[in-house]
Amino acid sequence: MVRQCRSMAPPDGGRHTLRMGKTYDCIDGRLRAFIEEQHLFFTATAPLSADGTVNLSPKGLTGSLAVLDERTVAYLDFAGSNAETIAHLRENGRITLMWCAFSGPPNIVRVHGHGEPVFRDDARWAGLLTHFPDIDPGRHGLRSVIVVTAELIRDTCGFAVPLLSYESDRPLHGSRFARETDTTLDAYFQSKEHVGTSLDGLPGLPLPLPPTPAPTPPLQGTEGA
C-alpha cells in the first residue's frame, strides 16, 4: 500500500509501536527532515553483468546531500581513488541510497531509483551547485553531482542498528584535496587504475577532467541583495 508523503514516526515516537515498514510516493515532511538530519548515508550500485562487482559506499561531509524535490535527491561526488558508482550509473542507472538512525527512534530509509552523474561540462552543473550552500566543493575535488530520481521509497524498523554518537566530520578529505588544481587533480585521476575505468572495465569518470566552470555572475541589479 502506498502512503502519500506520510510521516515516518508514529505519534509516540516509536516507543510503543512496532513498525515493520512503509512505502511512500514522495519525500516530504518528516521523511525529508530525517534524510537531511543524518550525517552518514550509503550508496549501492552494480553492473548488469551477473558476475560483476557490487559496490557499496559510505558518504558523509555535512552539506553534501540535498533533497531537490519530492522525488529527487542529489549528492556531491568528491575526489577518490575509485569511480564505481559513476561507472555503474553510466551503464544502467540503478542505485539505492540508505540512511540509518544512529540516535533517537530507530529507522532506516531507502530510496531505490535511477541515478545520473552530472559532470562539470554539463549545462546543469551551475544550477545543481546552488542546492549545496553549506559546503565548499572546491576543497574536495568535486568531480560530479549524482542526481537520483526515486522510483521506490521505503522505510523499515532499524531495531538492530546500534546507537552511535556523532562527533564531527573528518577534516582529512578537505585538507588532502584543497591544494589540488584542475591540472593536478586530473593527473591524480589519470594515475589511478580504477577512476577512468571501473573494476570490471566499464567506463568511469570521463577524462581528461574538464576545468571547474567559472561561477555564474549575479543578475544585473541583484548585487548585495
Side-chain angles (χ1 to χ4, degrees):
M1 179 175 63
V2 175
R3 300 170 180 261
Q4 182 170 354
C5 296
R6 293 293 298 274
S7 299
M8 296 179 306
D12 64 359
R15 291 187 297 274
H16 305 293
T17 305
L18 294 179
R19 300 173 54 255
M20 298 310 294
K22 298 185 180 74
T23 297
Y24 303 82
D25 67 350
C26 59
I27 302 169
D28 199 3
R30 292 185 182 179
L31 186 66
R32 176 171 183 160
F34 174 80
I35 288 174
E36 294 177 334
E37 288 169 358
Q38 304 313 304
H39 298 286
L40 173 70
F41 66 99
F42 301 87
T43 70
T45 59
L48 293 176
S49 173
D51 60 353
T53 305
V54 176
N55 186 68
L56 176 63
S57 296
K59 301 292 181 182
L61 295 178
T62 300
S64 64
L65 179 135
V67 178
L68 305 189
D69 59 43
E70 293 182 343
R71 301 286 297 183
T72 314
V73 178
Y75 69 88
L76 302 178
D77 175 54
F78 295 126
S81 57
N82 291 276
E84 295 298 291
T85 300
I86 287 176
H88 297 160
L89 294 183
R90 291 184 67 189
E91 185 203 35
N92 59 68
R94 300 178 303 171
I95 188 170
T96 297
L97 307 180
M98 185 181 77
W99 298 262
C100 300
F102 294 108
S103 62
N107 197 50
I108 299 172
V109 172
R110 292 179 178 88
V111 171
H112 308 264
H114 183 276
E116 178 189 6
V118 176
F119 301 113
R120 292 178 173 192
D121 53 0
D122 191 296
R124 296 168 290 175
W125 180 267
L128 285 170
L129 290 190
T130 64
H131 294 280
F132 305 92
D134 298 326
I135 190 169
D136 178 6
R139 288 183 47 81
H140 298 279
L142 181 61
R143 58 188 187 179
S144 74
V145 181
I146 305 296
V147 180
V148 179
T149 302
E151 297 172 349
L152 177 64
I153 306 164
R154 291 274 299 165
D155 72 353
T156 50
C157 65
F159 293 159
V161 175
L163 291 169
L164 301 173
S165 298
Y166 169 78
E167 293 185 7
S168 66
D169 288 355
R170 294 180 187 269
L172 298 177
H173 194 277
S175 61
R176 164 61 184 86
F177 289 100
R179 63 178 182 265
E180 301 287 355
T181 66
D182 287 341
T183 300
T184 61
L185 189 60
D186 178 68
Y188 170 81
F189 291 146
Q190 298 272 9
S191 71
K192 299 299 180 181
E193 182 179 3
H194 297 301
V195 170
T197 304
S198 77
L199 294 169
D200 299 311
L202 296 173
L205 181 69
L207 297 173
L209 186 71
T212 302
T216 302
L219 297 176
Q220 187 173 4
T222 63
E223 293 85 348

